[in-house]
Amino acid sequence: CDAAGQSRFPAYQQPDAKAAQQTYDSIPKIARLTVVSGNTTVFSTGSDGWVKRRGPVQDDSVYDGELYVQGAETQWQPASALALDQGPRGQMIPADFPGVQVRRVDQPVKITNPVEGVFVVDFGSNTAGVCSIDIPSAAAVSLRHGELMQHAHLPGLDKPDPSRVYFDNLRSARANDTVVVTQPTSNWYPRFTYHGFRFVEVYGYPGNLTASNIRRFAMSTGVEQKTTANFTDEVLQQIHLGSIGTQHANLMQIPTDCPQRDERLGWMGDASLSAQSMHTHFDYTKMASAFVDSMVDLMNADGSLPDVVPQQRFGGRPSDLSWNSAFIENVYELVQVGDLVPARTYWEEVKRNVGFIEGQLAAAGGLNKLPEPYGDWCPPPTEVGKGQGPKPTKGFAAAFSLVRSVQQAAAIGKAIGGGGGRK
């Protein structure tokens, strides 16, 4: 959700959307419950007995955080009925994989007080989640979350202060939770947001903030981890732990690109490159299958897909061929772990996507001429602080992804029947 005036999450809009619906997420305005028995509507939201009121959460945004004001609840009043044609189109189906859960509670490893009124809390590692805090008396306390401390070479810092947290990489995301309490309050935490962070700057805390007053709830979709490894080489061990930790932080009902800035989207390039390792690390089958469902929902008649699924913001259509490869890659990896249902269900869509790939090749006139909006998106730097390293020849990544997708599609067809009509 976004506040009025923001548009980082597109509004759900009715065909005759009002001006307000064009600027912010209007889904809270269209929530409705209807119970139907046979052909009879038993009741709908807005019928006699339904009431509403505003609660203590005054504002919430997945990017900006939550504002909670204790005692701000309004009086109950009758709820208004909504027209039956309001609401998102399509069929609502239940998710068959776990929701986002608290998987670990972390204690601070260090708390400093660099200036009056500001505490800096270090949890020792980056992950996704929220803070829980105990507040001993009436106060307005804010918690702003970041991944690293200020230091040289960071963009936007003329005079870095190594005692303070760096926030510029969050771009427009404020990642700030504010709680206003009128009495001692224990274990407050926001319910409608999350952040990617290691460090937290805490403002307005009454008294001395200690490790017993604040903790971090590490959160992710509750898929079971099924792989552990212990390397004698410390570097390899940290790479292993870092890869699992990064994936945990980006499993938020869809596989996202990042947990901290103003994206946190289902970028297909990330979902393609991570598919095999996700299945290796986690019981990822049902979540991956649901993500394939979402891709199919957005596939055009020509087999093309967007760069981001669900298609919220950023990216384009048709997608870069390396981003497009996420569809066939994920169906293929599901086959590798023994789940043939998505392959059988979406075989026609696999063929349609291959048709799109063939069309891209024909239009380009050769593998070395393929369109490549992104290519090798983030090659490692050759020097610290000097930006990305050199990219491969333009078109190389697209050509590789095209060939791999066609090979995987052939393998999928063979797995579900081969010559028995699976062509």
Side-chain angles (χ1 to χ4, degrees):
C1 297
D2 261 333
Q6 294 281 7
S7 59
R8 295 167 300 185
F9 275 132
Y12 166 75
Q13 295 181 9
Q14 302 292 348
D16 58 345
K18 302 293 189 293
Q21 288 178 309
Q22 296 170 2
T23 58
Y24 64 92
D25 185 353
S26 62
I27 287 177
K29 294 179 172 58
I30 60 171
R32 182 181 71 246
L33 173 65
T34 299
V35 177
V36 178
S37 176
N39 295 321
T40 303
T41 298
V42 179
F43 66 87
S44 294
T45 305
S47 58
D48 292 344
W50 282 85
V51 292
K52 65 178 182 180
R53 71 171 180 176
R54 183 162 189 164
V57 177
Q58 302 296 292
D59 197 10
D60 66 87
S61 164
V62 71
Y63 296 144
D64 290 340
E66 182 174 310
L67 170 61
Y68 181 99
V69 179
Q70 198 174 69
E73 296 88 344
T74 61
Q75 295 297 314
W76 290 106
Q77 56 183 303
S80 302
L82 294 172
L84 292 179
D85 63 349
Q86 285 189 292
R89 304 299 183 257
Q91 182 180 8
M92 182 179 292
I93 59 174
D96 61 355
F97 59 93
V100 174
Q101 301 172 3
V102 175
R103 61 183 178 84
R104 190 181 70 228
V105 179
D106 298 328
Q107 301 300 322
V109 298
K110 184 180 181 180
I111 299 179
T112 60
N113 186 198
V115 297
E116 185 178 356
V118 178
F119 293 94
V120 175
V121 183
D122 179 2
F123 285 100
S125 64
N126 275 300
T127 194
V130 297
C131 284
S132 164
I133 191 168
D134 305 326
I135 304 173
S137 62
V141 179
S142 292
L143 303 90
R144 195 172 186 195
H145 307 74
E147 293 184 303
L148 66 163
M149 301 294 284
Q150 297 181 23
H151 60 77
H153 306 300
L154 289 173
L157 290 180
D158 294 330
K159 296 181 179 180
D161 180 349
S163 70
R164 302 296 297 273
V165 180
Y166 179 69
F167 300 114
D168 283 6
N169 66 311
L170 305 181
R171 302 191 302 210
S172 70
R174 287 197 51 77
N176 183 85
D177 298 323
T178 297
V179 52
V180 181
V181 298
T182 57
Q183 59 188 3
T185 300
S186 298
N187 196 34
W188 179 87
Y189 58 92
R191 265 70 170 182
F192 298 103
T193 191
Y194 75 95
H195 313 288
F197 67 101
R198 169 179 170 174
F199 302 97
V200 185
E201 287 198 350
V202 181
Y203 316 99
Y205 190 82
N208 185 41
L209 181 65
T210 68
S212 63
N213 303 130
I214 189 168
R215 58 216 62 91
R216 179 174 68 180
F217 294 161
M219 298 159 53
S220 68
T221 298
V223 291
E224 182 180 354
Q225 184 175 327
K226 63 182 185 181
T227 300
T228 58
N230 291 289
F231 295 96
T232 56
D233 185 288
E234 183 179 352
V235 173
L236 289 178
Q237 183 66 12
Q238 290 306 311
I239 290 173
H240 169 66
L241 295 176
S243 65
I244 289 181
T246 298
Q247 290 177 346
H248 260 309
N250 283 286
L251 289 172
M252 292 291 176
Q253 301 305 90
I254 60 169
T256 64
D257 62 313
C258 66
Q260 79 295 87
R261 63 176 180 264
D262 56 356
E263 289 195 51
R264 312 184 205 183
L265 302 172
W267 277 100
M268 299 273 275
D270 303 68
S272 176
L273 292 174
S274 300
Q276 184 180 29
S277 61
M278 291 280 207
H279 283 287
T280 301
H281 290 153
F282 305 106
D283 183 3
Y284 184 56
T285 303
K286 290 183 178 180
M287 184 174 175
S289 181
F291 193 54
V292 168
D293 293 342
S294 295
M295 294 185 217
V296 172
D297 286 344
L298 291 172
M299 183 179 289
N300 276 353
D302 65 354
S304 66
L305 291 159
D307 289 312
V308 177
V309 174
Q311 193 173 15
Q312 295 282 356
R313 59 198 298 254
F314 298 131
R317 179 194 280 273
S319 60
D320 183 298
L321 286 173
S322 296
W323 275 241
N324 172 83
S325 67
F327 171 58
I328 291 177
E329 175 78 41
N330 275 268
V331 175
Y332 174 82
E333 295 300 342
L334 284 162
V335 170
Q336 301 311 298
V337 297
D339 185 359
L340 301 182
V341 173
R344 291 183 174 128
T345 302
Y346 295 129
W347 176 241
E348 292 303 316
E349 284 75 13
V350 169
K351 292 193 292 183
R352 197 192 318 165
N353 190 245
V354 171
F356 161 73
I357 293 170
E358 292 174 336
Q360 291 281 289
L361 178 59
L367 280 173
N368 62 338
K369 299 178 181 178
L370 287 166
E372 191 181 72
Y374 303 133
D376 187 353
W377 179 245
C378 193
T382 54
E383 292 184 60
V384 175
K386 299 296 184 180
Q388 295 185 2
K391 290 197 175 190
T393 303
K394 184 172 176 60
F396 178 84
F400 172 85
S401 296
L402 181 151
V403 172
R404 179 171 171 81
S405 290
V406 172
Q407 291 173 332
Q408 289 179 327
I412 292 167
K414 183 176 180 180
I416 61 175
R422 299 296 182 184
K423 298 180 179 179

